[in-house]
Amino acid sequence: MRFYLIIFITFSATWTNAQNYVDLVKINYSTTPFNSYDSLKGIKTQLQEFSTDITLPIVLDSTKTFLTGILFEQINLVNEPSSRNTFYTINPKFGLNYKHSEKVTGTYVFLPKIASDLQNGLTQKHFQFGGIALYNIKKSELFKYRFGAYFNQELFGPFVVPLLGFYYQSKNKKLEANFTLPISADLNYELTKNIKTGTAFNAIVKSFYASDFNNNYITKTTNELFAYVQFNFPSYRILIEPQVGYSVARSFRIYDADDRLDFKLSAFAFGSKQQPLNYDFNDGLIFKIRLVYRFMLEK
């Protein structure tokens, strides 16, 4: 049976049908040093994040592949001396990858999720609903470009992100670029047969219901730039990828449950100006490790 590439990434999500592999399982763990606050002395916060992303594509025929899977994420905010707050994302994925023609492939995914601290039982405020539509246009075997849009009904209001990007691989297959802006970018180079080095960028905006904060909500916003080395163990279909990065314009802001925007288009907010109920902590280093189970596709 011929397999077709389905790659799913959620910031928060991107797809491409250019590479000859599919990442079925991705496990990430990251931590930061303790970060000081902009306007508070004597209080510091450390971030600890863990996620597991499972993708199970099911080939229906030569033009259609059903997409399913789930993302689980846990974020710990550890405050000195002993306080800890934990937030979760449970995000099933249901969709279709459809080959419209030899050059055009569309991916359409429904993304319901639970995003909260999972305290005091589940209510409507714990649930969010979104989706993505993305088109890949094949210009050559080495270059494809893509466009589409992501939507989610966040706790701060409707959130839409137009997407534009491309995939490129050099003729010797050593250089690879995979961009889906404004949410993600990856550029890597093969040093040896099983070792690559590269840089990656992720822009993240998401909200969580926070019952422990008077039933208000928290919005996570950050831009993260990483340098990494990727070690490939093809006999086990496993990649190990240590990363070192830095956050830019990072914030975990608490808002009153009724403090909402009319609409947010990428980085542009429309409606009343929101008033955060807490202080921002400083940007800083991030140490991350990725473990990937990669399945090579048949030619």
Side-chain angles (χ1 to χ4, degrees), residues 5 64 195 202 280:
L5 173 73
K64 295 183 289 294
I195 300 177
N202 298 301
D280 290 335

Side-chain angles (χ1 to χ4, degrees), residues 140-152:
S140 72
E141 291 302 321
L142 299 176
F143 182 79
K144 287 86 177 173
Y145 67 88
R146 63 177 67 101
F147 66 90
Y150 167 79
F151 169 80
N152 194 63

Side-chain angles (χ1 to χ4, degrees), residues 120 198 206 255 266 297:
N120 304 322
K206 58 178 64 176
Y255 294 101
S266 193
L297 302 179

